[in-house]
């Protein structure tokens, strides 16, 4: 991509992060840390990679996305809003009773959500089913799913991985948001799933390891995944939990905590500085 395209994606990702903070602050609950770490991945998928139409969210031949780590719905919602599926004002009603945007993705109530998720490990299985259905129906759509690195401690993830490789689902691309932290502490200490890349390779995946905040690397990885034939793809994206919010970065306590009024102001100031810097380029 050229410099202008990259700058545009960086600005969009920053606005996704602003939407995350707006949402969890107004909800007084939610999961900011992993939403912020995955913001660049959400942005690239929805603004560059996937074949989608916000005006026709159920179009039969669209690419599918499953947020397997469903608690990071604020990041997905902010991205969908920016992409035009619904107004950004909905973020202020996050987790409110009767509102469109609930704590975990709801495919029945939210335009652009392809699968209801939340119980860790189940989303990736649904994504495998979607990819298998595409093969059976001779469709050319692709299926993408973001998992947490803590989530892959779930055995169901590896059952799904075996299924995907066995059925040669080369229309499936899994992305692991490898930020190194989960609700109880560091992923290495809690469940020790490393080496993540070698595990997916041993299950028959084509695997790439990238910087999940570098749009050049993100683009190259997705372009490569499209060329892979006969096996599924996995992209291990190294990221920073709480990215671009000074007091949230690499802090496990912000896995599932909402900012108070003072923290909200600080977070938005941090992100506005990032956005101003990008707009000055």
């Amino acid at each position: 991509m050229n410099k202008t395209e990259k700058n545009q994606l960086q600005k969009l990702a920053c606005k996704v992060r602003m939407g995350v903070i707006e949402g969890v602050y107004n909800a007084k609950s939610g999961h900011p840390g992993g939403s912020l770490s995955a913001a660049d991945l959400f942005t690239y998928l929805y603004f560059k990679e996937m074949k989608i139409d916000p005006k026709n969210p159920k179009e039969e031949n669209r690419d599918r996305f499953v947020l397997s780590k469903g608690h990071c719905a604020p990041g997905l919602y902010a991205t969908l809003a920016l992409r035009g599926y619904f107004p950004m004002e909905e973020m202020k009603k996050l987790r409110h009773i009767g509102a469109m945007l609930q704590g975990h993705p709801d495919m029945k109530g939210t335009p652009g959500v392809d699968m209801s998720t939340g119980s860790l490990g189940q989303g990736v299985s649904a994504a495998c089913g979607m990819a298998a259905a595409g093969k059976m129906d001779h469709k050319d759509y692709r299926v993408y799913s973001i998992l947490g690195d803590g989530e892959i401690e779930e055995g169901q993830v590896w059952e799904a991985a075996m299924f995907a490789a066995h059925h040669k689902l080369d229309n499936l691309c899994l992305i692991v948001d490898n930020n190194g932290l989960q609700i109880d502490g560091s992923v290495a200490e809690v469940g020790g799933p490393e080496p993540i890349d070698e595990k997916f390779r041993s299950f028959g995946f084509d695997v790439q390891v990238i910087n999940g905040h570098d749009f050049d690397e993100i683009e190259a990885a997705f372009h490569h995944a499209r060329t892979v034939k006969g096996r599924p793809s996995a992209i291990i994206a190294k990221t920073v939990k709480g990215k671009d919010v000074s007091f949230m970065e690499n802090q496990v306590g912000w896995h599932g905590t909402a900012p108070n009024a003072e923290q909200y102001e600080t977070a938005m100031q941090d992100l506005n500085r990032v956005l101003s810097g990008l707009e000055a380029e």
Side-chain angles (χ1 to χ4, degrees), residues 189-222:
E189 293 174 349
V190 174
E194 297 286 357
I196 298 171
D197 56 340
E198 291 303 321
K199 282 186 171 64
F200 274 100
R201 285 193 185 97
S202 72
F203 275 75
F205 279 66
D206 179 89
V207 181
Q208 303 172 80
V209 180
I210 66 167
N211 177 348
H213 302 306
D214 184 323
F215 279 109
D216 289 321
E217 291 193 25
I218 294 170
E219 179 173 67
F222 281 116

Side-chain angles (χ1 to χ4, degrees), residues 60 62-66 114-115 122-145 160-161 163-174 205 230-233:
E60 184 179 357
R62 75 191 185 282
D63 289 339
R64 273 73 166 164
F65 175 78
V66 178
D114 291 317
M115 186 64 204
Q122 293 185 1
V124 63
S125 294
C128 287
M130 291 176 181
K135 290 286 189 182
M136 292 175 185
D137 293 340
H138 305 289
K139 300 291 186 180
D140 64 358
Y141 65 74
R142 292 178 62 77
V143 182
Y144 300 85
S145 182
F163 175 92
H166 178 73
H167 291 282
K168 299 180 172 59
L169 300 182
D170 51 18
N171 57 345
L172 176 71
C173 182
L174 305 184
F205 279 66
R231 52 181 171 162
S233 295

